[in-house]
């Protein structure tokens, strides 16, 4: 469904006078106060479609009832809507309803705070925040009403009901391996350690303006797993985490949006595909063509929630993706520092510092100068390593634990491998020397041990 509105034609002529009546000498002044682009304000006054949220916010500033002046133009649904299309529309409605519930609850909290706040400056800030969130709620209500109207269309619904099939049986829950060695750890329950780094990273990402960070470390040290943990830990249901596992890193985790970009994915090598992917993750309209100018306009006008873009294997992007040139990176820097009101930050994973990485790949973009915090990953602390070992479904003997700590030097990958071998040995009731097999399995990663000694 389109999330855009325009002024009805009969109101365009009379709407021009309200600007100065509300204390704005120009359209530019209104755009500056609302922190949106001048082109969006001009489109509003000329009767062109703009984002629903911006339409409502402009109307509020001009003391206009947006429903009275808006021209609603429902998208025409094709006859013979397929079951798949119908289910997709239902799923979108449910997602929007959840977002509406969260926003409405937040509005209630702000109103309560506003009622008891005595400091004039803080009261003003709360009032501005309330206006924005109330506009967001109204925008969601508008979109929900459009979807409901489409779902309740009798001819379509009748056809869907006839084709609707019973839901397939849920698959049986498969057992998850407690020790993961061949791929990044994506579920927070199986991620251990890095508490110091996590505290620093979330401190940078829970306050305005959001700040950028770089995660540096050698291959197989756990950079990608850390990115996934940042993205998932604050929204994973409590019952899916370990007992006592910290999850409350952010005061309002539902407000944050996380976008994971893997530059080893060849689809991310093209500029247009990458920009489209980011817009899709933000639930924003993807223009055709999706060039850098359009992308900058859309994000500048519509990014109102804290958003973190996680860039994994960025070295691959710099070396193998010629479309991601200095101009591309400079635009991202400008977007984060000047056009999103502190709502956008980047966290990248790399083998060396961002400045050295740019220099070694022939790039000179100032984008790589904005990373004020660097987390260098090495071995886990002994306490963190012992916690990982203790997660085994079968308790290891004390001498086995000490041997694993000594041989792995608390490096995450080696810990996982040795724990895996000991667990398999116990589960299978084997009596042979598991230590010999464990050493053989970690031998290909001996370079990690050498580098750890150098540190």
């Amino acid at each position: 469904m389109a999330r855009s509105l325009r002024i009805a034609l009969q109101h365009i002529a009379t709407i021009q006078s309200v600007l100065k009546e509300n204390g704005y000498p120009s359209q530019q002044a209104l755009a500056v106060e609302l922190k949106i682009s001048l082109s969006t304000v001009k489109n509003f006054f000329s009767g062109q479609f703009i984002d629903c949220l911006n339409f409502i916010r402009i109307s509020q500033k001009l003391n206009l009832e947006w429903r009275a002046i808006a021209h609603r133009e429902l998208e025409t649904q094709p006859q013979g809507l397929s079951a798949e299309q119908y289910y997709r529309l239902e799923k979108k409605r449910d997602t929007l309803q959840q977002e509406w519930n969260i926003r409405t609850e937040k509005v209630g909290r702000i109103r309560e705070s506003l009622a008891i706040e005595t400091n004039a400056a803080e009261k003003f800030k709360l009032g501005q925040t309330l206006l924005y969130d109330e506009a967001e709620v109204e925008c969601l209500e508008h979109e929900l009403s459009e979807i409901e109207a489409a779902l309740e269309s009798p001819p379509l619904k009748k056809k869907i009901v006839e084709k609707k099939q019973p839901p397939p049986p849920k698959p049986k829950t498969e057992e998850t391996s407690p020790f993961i060695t061949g791929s990044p750890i994506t579920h927070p329950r199986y991620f251990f350690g890095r508490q110091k780094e996590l505290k620093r990273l979330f401190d940078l990402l829970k306050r305005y303006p959001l700040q950028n960070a770089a995660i540096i470390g050698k291959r197989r040290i756990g950079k990608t797993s850390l990115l996934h943990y940042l993205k998932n830990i604050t929204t994973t249901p409590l019952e899916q985490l370990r007992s006592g596992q910290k999850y409350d890193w952010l005061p309002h985790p539902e407000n944050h949006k996380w976008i994971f970009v893997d530059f080893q994915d060849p689809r991310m090598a093209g500029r247009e595909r990458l920009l489209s992917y980011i817009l899709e993750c933000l639930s924003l309209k993807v223009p055709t063509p999706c060039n850098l100018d359009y992308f900058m306009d859309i994000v500048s006008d519509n990014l109102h929630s804290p958003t973190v873009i996680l860039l994994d294997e960025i070295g691959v992007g710099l070396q193998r993706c010629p479309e991601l040139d200095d101009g591309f990176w400079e635009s991202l820097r400008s977007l984060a520092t000047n056009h999103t009101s502190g709502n956008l930050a980047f966290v990248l994973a790399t083998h060396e510092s961002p400045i050295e990485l740019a220099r070694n790949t022939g790039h000179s973009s100032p984008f790589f100068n904005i990373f004020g915090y660097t987390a260098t990953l090495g071995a886990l602390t002994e306490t963190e390593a012992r916690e990982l070992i203790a997660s085994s479904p079968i308790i290891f003997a004390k001498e086995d634990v000490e041997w694993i700590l000594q041989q792995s030097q608390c490096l995450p990958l080696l810990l996982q491998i040795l724990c895996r071998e000991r667990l398999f040995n116990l589960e299978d009731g084997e009596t042979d020397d598991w230590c010999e097999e464990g050493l053989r399995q970690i031998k290909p990663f001996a370079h990690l041990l050498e580098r750890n000694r150098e540190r």
Side-chain angles (χ1 to χ4, degrees):
M1 306 298 293
R3 198 179 185 184
S4 58
L5 290 172
R6 65 176 175 85
I7 296 175
L9 295 177
Q10 65 268 29
H11 295 299
I12 293 178
T14 58
I15 208 80
Q16 306 298 328
S17 61
V18 301
L19 192 65
K20 292 185 179 179
E21 290 175 3
N22 285 275
Y24 297 103
S26 65
Q27 294 181 5
Q28 176 70 50
L30 178 60
V32 169
E33 179 159 339
L34 287 171
K35 297 180 180 178
I36 59 179
S37 71
L38 177 58
S39 62
T40 297
V41 175
K42 287 182 176 179
N43 288 340
F44 173 85
F45 280 96
S46 62
Q48 298 183 51
F49 279 107
I50 65 171
D51 177 78
C52 174
L53 178 58
N54 286 331
F55 186 94
I56 295 172
R57 293 179 67 211
I58 294 172
S59 300
Q60 288 177 336
K61 280 293 179 183
L62 299 177
N63 293 310
L64 298 168
E65 171 51 53
W66 69 270
R67 293 181 182 85
I69 64 172
H71 171 77
R72 297 196 179 189
E73 188 172 350
L74 295 178
E75 292 180 355
T76 303
Q77 297 293 339
Q79 292 298 316
L81 195 67
S82 69
E84 182 181 353
Q85 290 171 315
Y86 186 83
Y87 297 147
R88 199 180 303 135
L89 206 56
E90 282 188 316
K91 185 176 180 181
K92 183 174 182 179
R93 177 199 59 191
D94 294 341
T95 301
L96 289 174
Q97 185 64 56
Q98 290 176 1
E99 188 176 348
W100 183 90
N101 293 339
I102 292 170
R103 285 282 179 183
T104 303
E105 183 180 346
K106 184 182 178 184
V107 166
R109 292 197 303 267
I110 296 173
R111 285 174 177 163
E112 291 174 1
S113 300
L114 196 58
I116 62 175
E117 182 60 60
T118 57
N119 182 280
E122 289 300 321
K123 201 160 188 172
F124 175 78
K125 288 181 182 178
L126 284 171
Q128 295 300 305
T129 303
L130 181 61
L131 284 175
Y132 171 78
D133 283 294
E134 285 179 335
E136 180 68 32
V137 168
E138 290 194 49
C139 185
L140 289 167
E141 288 173 352
H142 165 70
E143 193 168 4
L144 280 167
S145 67
E146 284 192 321
I147 292 177
E148 289 293 351
L151 289 174
E152 292 178 6
S153 176
L156 299 180
K157 196 162 188 178
K158 182 179 179 182
K159 188 161 189 174
I160 296 302
V161 170
E162 289 172 356
K163 290 188 173 182
K164 193 171 182 179
Q165 299 296 325
K170 293 183 178 180
K172 294 181 180 180
T173 302
E174 298 293 338
E175 184 179 0
T176 304
S177 174
F179 301 114
I180 302 170
T181 59
S183 57
I185 296 169
T186 57
H187 197 291
R189 181 183 183 89
Y190 304 103
F191 183 93
F192 290 85
R194 309 301 188 198
Q195 295 303 296
K196 178 181 176 182
E197 291 84 359
L198 286 167
K199 184 179 186 306
R200 292 289 187 272
L201 289 166
F202 277 115
D203 281 345
L204 295 173
L205 300 173
K206 71 181 182 182
R207 300 181 178 93
Y208 289 98
L210 276 63
Q211 299 180 57
N212 309 289
I215 299 171
I216 299 176
K218 301 300 180 182
R219 293 187 182 279
R220 310 304 296 273
I221 202 64
K223 301 185 296 300
T224 302
S225 296
L226 180 55
L227 292 181
H228 282 295
Y229 191 80
L230 287 171
K231 178 177 180 288
N232 297 324
I233 180 58
T234 60
T235 55
T236 298
L238 193 58
E239 63 272 14
Q240 296 182 18
L241 300 177
R242 303 190 302 273
S243 175
Q245 187 174 3
K246 183 172 176 60
Y247 66 93
D248 54 345
W249 296 99
L250 297 172
H252 301 291
E254 70 278 3
N255 293 339
H256 275 66
K257 296 180 179 179
W258 303 84
I259 302 173
F260 185 91
V261 178
D262 178 11
F263 283 107
Q264 288 185 324
D265 184 340
R267 293 171 295 181
M268 298 297 102
R271 178 186 291 191
E272 183 168 354
R273 182 64 189 91
L274 174 56
L275 297 179
S276 299
Y277 168 74
I278 294 174
L279 292 177
E280 289 167 1
C281 291
L282 292 172
S283 300
L284 297 176
K285 182 178 180 181
V286 180
T288 303
C290 188
N291 60 36
L292 197 53
D293 289 345
Y294 288 148
F295 173 83
M296 293 279 287
D297 284 342
I298 292 171
V299 176
S300 298
D301 290 346
N302 297 283
L303 190 69
H304 306 299
S305 302
T307 300
V308 184
I309 300 181
L310 306 165
L311 304 174
D312 193 29
E313 294 292 348
I314 192 171
V316 175
L318 294 176
Q319 293 170 349
R320 304 179 189 172
C321 308
E323 291 186 23
L324 308 184
D325 55 14
D326 284 349
F328 171 83
W329 297 111
E330 287 165 9
S331 296
L332 292 190
R333 182 186 191 278
S334 176
L335 198 61
T337 56
N338 298 317
H339 301 295
T340 50
S341 302
N343 277 305
L344 179 62
F346 296 92
V347 178
L348 61 80
T350 175
H351 307 310
E352 52 191 335
S353 77
I355 295 175
E356 291 175 353
L357 178 66
R359 185 185 304 118
N360 293 337
T361 54
H363 291 266
S364 59
S365 171
F367 173 80
F368 299 97
N369 297 327
I370 65 175
F371 296 88
Y373 172 73
T374 299
T376 302
L377 302 189
L380 303 183
T381 66
E382 183 177 327
T383 300
E384 293 170 344
R386 288 183 181 275
E387 185 183 3
L388 188 157
I389 296 171
S391 69
S392 172
I394 300 177
I395 298 175
F396 297 164
K398 182 178 179 180
E399 57 270 23
D400 291 338
V401 172
E402 298 304 321
W403 187 85
I404 290 172
L405 289 172
Q406 179 183 9
Q407 297 300 322
S408 68
Q409 294 183 23
C410 297
L411 290 162
L413 175 62
L414 307 191
L415 280 166
Q416 297 273 5
I417 292 174
L418 295 178
C419 287
R420 178 198 67 196
E421 291 304 316
R422 184 54 179 140
L423 177 61
F424 286 174
N425 179 270
L426 291 171
E427 287 179 336
D428 296 340
E430 297 173 354
T431 57
D432 57 342
D433 186 3
W434 69 273
C435 297
E436 181 179 348
E437 178 61 19
L439 291 174
R440 189 177 73 82
Q441 291 295 331
I442 67 172
K443 188 175 181 180
F445 310 103
H447 59 283
L448 293 175
L449 292 169
E450 295 169 2
R451 288 169 182 161
N452 196 49
R453 293 190 191 100
E454 292 173 1
R455 293 170 59 87

